[in-house]
Every structure is written in C-alpha cells, then in structure tokens.
C-alpha cells in the first residue's frame, strides 16, 4: 500500500480500472442493443446490427409526447428551483437568524429521505386538497427536490465571495440594483447556471416521486419503464434510453466544468 | 428602497426567505405530517373506508403480521448488503484517486465517477436486464471461460438465490450496488485524501506490513467517508420500489409495500406506517452516522 516510488501497485491499478469499467460497461450495452436485429431477446453477441429501431422510435407519437412533457416539467421545475433556491441561498449565507440551521436541514430533507416519502406525502396532500393530478403536481414534486441543488451551488459560491465587494460597491455610490448587476451577478452567474442544469437533469430523469404525482400521461422515464414490460420491439426502448442519456449528458458535463468544486457530492441523489 | 433595505436588513431577509420557507415548510413538511397522520388512523375491514379516530392498530398490524415484519427485516438486510458491497468496490478506485492520480487525472476520474450519478437511473438499471438476460453478456462471458457453474451456485444459494439471474436477490444487490456506487466513491475519496502520507510511512517504518497498515491506519481514518457514503446507499435502497420490480423475484421490500398498499390495495394507514418506519430507520442511521463523524466528511 505505501510504496515509496509514488506509483500505484499493479493490483491497485487493475482494481481501480475494473471498478471504472463496472461503472461504464452497462452504458455501452445500452448503445449496443439499440442496434441489434432481434426484437424480443438480448443475445450476446447480437446476431446482426441495424439502425431501423431509430426510425421506429422516432415515429412513435407517445414517445414524443412523453419527451415533451418531461422537458416542460423539467424546465418549469428548474425555474421554480432557481427562484426559491437562489433567494434562500442569498438569505442564509450571511445572516444569522432563529431557525437558520433547521431551515438548512429542511432544504436537504427531500433528497436525504427516501424519494418514496416525498412522493407519497405529496400525493396524499394533493388528494386531500383535491388538486387534479397532472402537469402541475409533477412540477411541484420535482421543484421540491430541485431547490436543494440550486441552493447548494449558489451558497457555495456566495461563501467564497468576499462581502467587502458589496460594501465597497455601496460606498462608491452604486444602487442596490447596480451592485447586484455589476458586482454580485458576474461572480454568481456560472453557479446559478450550473445549479439550473443539474436541477433540470435531476428532474428530467426522476421516476420515483413522479410515479406518485403524475396522472395517466407518462414522463419519459415512466414511458421507458412501461415499455420494459412490452414484449416486442425491445431495441426501441434502448433507442429512447440513449436519447434520454444524451439529453442530460452534455449539459451535465458543462455544469461540472462551470463549477469545478465538490459541492455536488451531498446534493446528488436519483435518485433519483 | 435599497437604503431602506440596508437599514432594515430583516425586511430583506423576510422577503428572501418567504417563498422557500412557504414551499418547504408548509407544502413539503406539511405533507409529511399530513401523511403520517394516516398511520394513526385505521381502515374499516368490512367497508374499506378510512376511520379517522386515533388508534395504534395499524402499527399493531405492522408489528404482529409476520409478512410485514419480514419486509422490514428483508429491506434492512438488503440495504446493508448493498452498502457493504459499495464500500468494498469503492475502495480501490477511491484509494487510487486519493493517493496516486495526478491532479489532471483526478479531475477526469472525478468527472467520470460523478456523471453516472446524474444520468438516468432507469437507463442504467435497464442495461443490467440486458446484461443478466439468459442469452446476455454475463452468461456468454462465463461460458467462454467455462465458469457457468458459478451461476448455478449463486441461484441455489440461500438468501441471494432465485429462479433465474434476473429474478435472483443476487442481481438486485448487484444492480443497487452499481447504481449507488458513485455515492460511496466520492466521500470515501475525500476522506482518503485527508490521510497524511507520513502516517503510512511511519506505520511501515515501525514494521507494519502493508496489510496491517491498511487495517489499522487507513481503514480507521477512512471511516467517516465510508459512513457518509453509506447514508446514501442505505437511504436510497430503503425507499426504492422501481428496481425490485425489475430484479429479484416476487418478494416485496419496503418501498414496494408502501407503493402497493397506497396505490393498489388502498390501505393508506398501512402505507403511511411503513413510510414512518423508513423515516425512523433513516433517523437512527443518521444519528449513528453523526457519532461516527460522517457529517464532517460529506
């Protein structure tokens, strides 16, 4: 373990490499079976390769509807999360007030507690308040666990920003708006953007809370889940799965490069 | 306006806080409290209607009915197995990242670990159905090296067995481990980074072999990271009801029981009681984790 030449032993390097392979190999399998010629089974190696499933998948109206619903939900949930999470971060990062720690704890709860708790709790409230299930109830559910993502990103950035900057700006005669526009915002913009992208990705892929807060119309993850139990055209599911991954992968990479710090660890979930 | 806000900071504070507090405390916490209320009500056995008088009968059912007890025990066992597996698999990669990777390499590895976390949970689970299928990659690879007997051993083993690979508890543990692994790698890597190199050198100078140094120096110092990661692996397994429908046969775990009782059976009190059980388990876990110093490693 403690070799002095500063290089890892062969065993450790192999093991680390194997774990990385374990993380990424399954994604390769999804890609591979999107091209298989078999309709109902997953023989390895695939007997032949074809691109026709892409045409089939892109011709499905219900798939496009699910995708469109997911995009609308994620966009609105992100907007709500940006507003609430951003304001909350601005309130919490410097002020000391009664209940501050409790509030910081409550923000994290929607991702610290199992998703099913959030889902079923919101469902029973919606049912009691006779709110019809559908677009808006999905958005409310998603925004609840997205707030923390934005909050974490923005608060981390604010903590690194010197409070002297704001005071200096005021002393030099800037109005509150000018200070925000020319001093605070330039420092904050990438953190807000990154938080928004992460919130979008989290909402776009969410299935557990969504199961409880949606009506009949499926979001894209629910569409994929339902299609698992359809016996035919299995590769179509893989094509749509690839689409779902592509929709979040590039923005996420951008978000990570924008922040480059490690505040995401506690904020990630599946979650989902 | 801004002068007023500057002189009276509390006005500004209230304005900033109000929307989020309303949302999180009233909508979110309110919903949870509202839900838990149900667990203290009961369902009329004959009419199936909700009886809104305070009673502990739902909890009595939960504790005395062996089916329900089994579900809780099975779920905790599953969450614990997944957590241990994650810990074992996370170690080599986390250790390599913390001790040996160049800063540039570390950034790349860090991104590579974090990306799957944010990409679709369902897609990653889906791929395992294809890997573990009868004609799938895993069995193909095992046949190539004449090790297909391993599968029979797994399938007939108690606790982790099943009728086929996909329907075995082994797969359920494996796929959960796969899904939550990054949650374990990241805090573990952070904790390992804080282990001073001089400690390891001192240990070996004093005559400890690598194995002993690992057990007596590295593991204890990595513990906060392991515990921090385990919060996620444990909590996420506890509340999941999607994966057990895809893998692991027909025996329910806690998340499924909540889902079925609420959505299919319509027994809201029992569903709410199970939700409380999950929350209590998590609170106990979080308190234990805090004692182990995990919160500093998050």
């Amino acid at each position: 373990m403690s070799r002095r030449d500063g290089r890892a032993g062969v065993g450790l390097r192999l093991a680390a490499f194997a774990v990385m392979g374990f993380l990424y190999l399954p994604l390769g399998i999804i890609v591979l079976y999107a091209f298989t010629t078999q309709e109902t089974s997953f023989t390895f190696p695939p007997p032949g390769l074809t691109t026709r499933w892409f045409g089939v998948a892109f011709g499905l109206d219900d798939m496009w509807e699910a995708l469109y619903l997911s995009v609308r939900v994620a966009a609105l949930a992100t907007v709500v999360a940006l507003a609430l999470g951003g304001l909350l971060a601005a309130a919490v990062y410097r002020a000391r007030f009664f209940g501050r720690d409790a509030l910081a704890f409550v923000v994290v709860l929607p991702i610290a507690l199992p998703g099913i708790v959030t889902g079923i709790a919101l469902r029973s409230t919606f049912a009691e308040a006779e709110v019809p299930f559908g677009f808006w109830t999905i958005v409310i559910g998603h925004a609840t666990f997205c707030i923390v993502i934005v909050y974490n990103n923005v608060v981390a950035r604010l903590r690194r920003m010197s409070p002297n900057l704001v005071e200096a700006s005021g002393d030099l005669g800037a109005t509150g708006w000018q200070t925000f526009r020319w001093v605070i915002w330039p420092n904050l913009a990438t953190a807000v953007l990154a938080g928004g992208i992460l919130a979008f990705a989290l909402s776009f892929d969410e299935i557990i809370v969504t199961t409880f807060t949606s009506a009949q119309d499926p979001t894209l993850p629910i569409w994929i889940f339902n299609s698992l139990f359809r016996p035919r055209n299995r590769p179509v599911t893989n094509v749509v799965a690839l689409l779902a991954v592509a929709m979040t992968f590039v923005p996420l990479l951008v978000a990570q490069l924008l922040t480059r710090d490690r505040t995401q660890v506690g904020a990630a979930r599946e979650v989902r | 306006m801004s002068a007023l806000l500057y002189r009276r900071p509390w006005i500004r504070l209230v304005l900033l806080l109000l929307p989020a507090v309303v949302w999180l405390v009233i909508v979110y916490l309110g919903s949870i409290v509202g839900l838990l209320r149900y667990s203290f009500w009961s369902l009329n056995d004959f009419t199936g209607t909700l009886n809104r008088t305070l009673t502990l009968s739902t909890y009595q059912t939960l504790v005395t009915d062996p089916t329900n007890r089994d579900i809780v025990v099975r779920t905790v066992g599953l969450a614990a197995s997944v957590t241990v597996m994650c810990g074992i698999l996370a170690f080599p990669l986390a250790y390599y990242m913390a001790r040996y990777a160049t800063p540039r390499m570390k950034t790349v590895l860090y991104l590579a670990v974090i990306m799957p976390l944010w990409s679709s949970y369902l897609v990653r689970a889906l791929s395992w159905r294809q890997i573990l299928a009868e004609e799938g990659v895993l069995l193909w690879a095992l046949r190539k090296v004449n090790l297909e007997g391993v599968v029979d051993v797994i399938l007939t083993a108690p606790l982790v067995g099943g009728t086929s690979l996909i329907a075995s508890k082994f797969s359920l543990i494996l796929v959960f481990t796969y899904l939550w692994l990054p949650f374990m790698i990241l805090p573990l890597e952070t904790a390992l980074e804080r282990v001073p190199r001089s400690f390891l050198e001192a240990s070996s100078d004093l005559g400890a072999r690598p194995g002993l140094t690992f057990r007596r120096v590295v593991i204890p110092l990595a513990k906060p990271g392991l515990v921090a990661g385990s919060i996620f692996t444990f909590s996420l397994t506890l509340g999941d009801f999607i994966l057990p429908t895809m893998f692991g046969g027909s025996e329910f775990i806690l998340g499924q029981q909540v889902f079925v009782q609420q959505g299919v059976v319509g027994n809201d009190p029992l569903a709410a009681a199970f939700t409380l059980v999950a929350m209590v388990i998590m609170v106990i876990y979080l308190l234990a984790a805090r004692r182990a110093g995990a919160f500093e490693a998050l």
Side-chain angles (χ1 to χ4, degrees):
Chain A
M1 277 290 159
S2 55
R3 289 163 55 112
R4 302 227 161 147
D5 56 4
R7 277 172 53 81
V10 177
L12 179 63
R13 265 186 291 172
L14 275 180
F17 186 75
V19 173
M20 208 37 118
F22 177 65
L23 278 177
Y24 277 88
L25 211 65
L27 291 176
I29 295 295
I30 289 284
V31 177
L32 179 69
Y33 283 118
F35 294 96
T36 184
T37 45
Q38 285 180 312
E39 275 189 29
T40 52
S41 58
F42 303 113
T43 307
F44 190 89
L49 300 175
T50 171
T51 52
R52 80 181 174 96
W53 304 115
F54 284 80
V56 177
F58 294 152
L60 294 173
D61 287 339
D62 57 338
M63 189 280 287
W64 287 115
E65 277 162 30
L67 176 66
Y68 181 53
L69 177 64
S70 276
V71 169
R72 280 190 304 149
V73 165
L76 195 58
T78 302
V79 170
V80 174
L82 280 174
L84 296 186
L87 291 179
L88 189 65
V92 163
Y93 95 106
R94 266 171 67 204
R96 293 276 171 275
F97 55 89
F98 176 75
R100 181 177 177 273
D101 290 342
L103 191 62
F105 181 69
V106 173
V107 185
V108 188
L109 266 190
I111 56 164
L113 286 178
I116 195 167
V117 175
T118 309
I120 190 175
L122 287 175
R123 181 174 189 91
S124 74
T125 303
F126 292 144
E128 270 189 64
E130 293 179 5
V131 180
F133 288 94
F135 177 74
W136 291 101
T137 51
I138 307 177
V139 170
I140 292 172
H142 285 196
T144 305
F145 60 74
C146 284
I147 293 173
V148 59
I149 308 299
V150 176
Y151 166 82
N152 273 5
N153 266 278
V154 176
V155 115
R157 183 66 57 87
L158 284 171
R159 286 206 177 113
R160 273 188 285 151
M161 215 175 92
S162 165
N164 299 341
L165 284 175
V166 176
E167 281 167 25
S169 171
D171 290 346
L172 291 169
T175 63
W177 166 249
Q178 284 172 323
T179 302
F180 178 79
R181 173 66 188 85
W182 300 109
V183 178
I184 299 176
W185 180 249
N187 279 297
L188 214 56
T190 51
V192 172
L193 181 61
I197 293 174
L198 293 172
F200 186 94
L202 202 61
S203 163
F204 190 78
D205 287 330
E206 216 283 339
I207 182 162
I208 299 220
V209 176
T210 318
T211 309
F212 286 98
T213 53
S214 63
Q216 293 305 314
D217 296 336
T219 58
L220 197 64
I222 292 182
W223 188 94
I224 295 175
F225 185 67
N226 291 340
S227 74
L228 287 186
F229 303 101
R230 278 178 220 141
R232 290 176 65 80
N233 287 353
R234 286 270 168 82
V236 170
T237 313
N238 284 48
V239 173
V240 179
L242 276 183
L243 189 67
V245 171
M247 285 281 300
T248 49
F249 207 79
V250 176
L252 284 171
L253 209 55
V254 173
Q256 287 300 328
L257 294 174
L258 283 177
T259 47
R260 285 290 183 104
D261 57 26
R262 302 187 167 194
T263 54
Q264 313 310 324
V265 182
R269 166 183 173 264
E270 98 158 285
V271 162
R272 161 269 214 257
Chain B
M1 179 70 188
S2 69
L4 174 78
L5 289 180
Y6 198 84
R7 260 180 271 121
R8 300 220 194 300
W10 64 270
I11 298 180
R12 198 183 68 124
L13 191 63
V14 167
L15 287 176
L16 288 175
L17 279 174
L18 203 62
V21 168
V22 167
W23 190 292
L24 288 168
V25 174
I26 298 182
V27 177
Y28 181 65
L29 283 186
S31 292
I32 290 183
V33 173
L35 170 74
L36 295 181
R37 239 172 3 152
Y38 277 88
S39 69
F40 297 100
W41 293 339
S42 61
L43 209 60
N44 187 313
D45 284 342
F46 298 106
T47 57
T49 51
L50 197 62
N51 184 3
R52 294 179 186 242
T53 44
L54 212 59
T55 167
L56 284 174
S57 71
T58 307
Y59 286 101
Q60 202 185 348
T61 321
L62 200 156
V63 175
T64 53
D65 185 345
T67 319
N68 293 335
R69 265 199 326 239
D70 283 355
I71 287 174
V72 175
V73 172
R74 188 182 302 131
T75 309
V76 172
L78 176 69
S81 322
V82 171
T83 301
V84 170
M85 287 289 291
C86 282
I88 293 171
L89 286 183
F91 229 105
L93 186 56
Y95 198 81
Y96 180 82
M97 284 170 76
R99 289 288 316 278
Y100 299 106
T102 58
R104 204 190 162 81
M105 189 63 182
K106 197 183 276 185
T107 308
V108 172
L109 289 176
Y110 178 76
L111 262 177
V113 170
I114 211 165
M115 288 304 290
L117 264 192
W118 294 98
S119 61
S120 176
Y121 149 95
L122 195 61
V123 171
R124 292 187 299 140
L126 167 72
S127 69
W128 280 98
R129 280 186 59 108
Q130 302 174 356
I131 292 169
L132 298 168
E134 292 294 327
E135 303 287 316
V137 187
L138 185 67
L139 282 166
W140 173 84
L142 287 174
R143 273 188 209 111
K144 281 273 164 185
V145 290
N146 282 322
L147 280 173
E148 52 202 299
V150 175
V151 175
D152 294 326
V153 174
I154 292 171
L155 292 186
T156 50
L159 294 176
V160 297
T163 50
S164 70
L165 257 186
I166 285 183
S168 70
K169 286 280 178 297
F170 167 80
S171 303
L172 189 58
I173 295 171
L174 175 73
V175 182
F176 267 133
T177 303
Y178 169 73
L179 288 173
W180 313 146
L181 186 58
F183 286 106
M184 186 62 94
I185 294 175
L186 297 170
L188 183 58
E189 195 270 336
T190 312
L192 286 173
E193 234 171 48
R194 292 181 196 156
V195 178
R197 195 165 290 241
S198 56
F199 280 30
L200 307 178
E201 284 164 6
S203 173
S204 109
D205 286 348
L206 292 168
R209 287 197 220 184
L212 188 65
T213 304
F214 186 70
R215 273 202 313 277
R216 301 289 293 276
V217 181
V218 178
I219 295 269
L221 288 170
K223 206 175 93 184
L226 283 170
V227 177
S230 76
I231 294 172
F232 292 102
T233 58
F234 202 87
S235 165
L236 290 165
T237 310
L238 212 59
D240 199 284
F241 62 89
I242 300 287
L243 214 59
T245 59
M246 295 168 69
F247 301 93
S250 55
E251 285 181 328
F252 273 19
I253 69 166
L254 199 148
Q256 282 169 293
Q257 177 74 341
V258 172
F259 180 70
V260 168
Q261 288 301 328
Q262 191 271 338
V264 183
V265 181
N267 190 342
D268 287 350
L270 192 56
F274 267 106
T275 311
L276 185 71
V277 169
M279 288 173 71
V280 167
I281 293 174
M282 256 346 276
V283 168
I284 294 171
Y285 201 92
L286 286 171
L287 290 176
R290 195 166 66 181
R291 290 192 77 175
F295 285 18
E296 286 83 62
L298 273 177

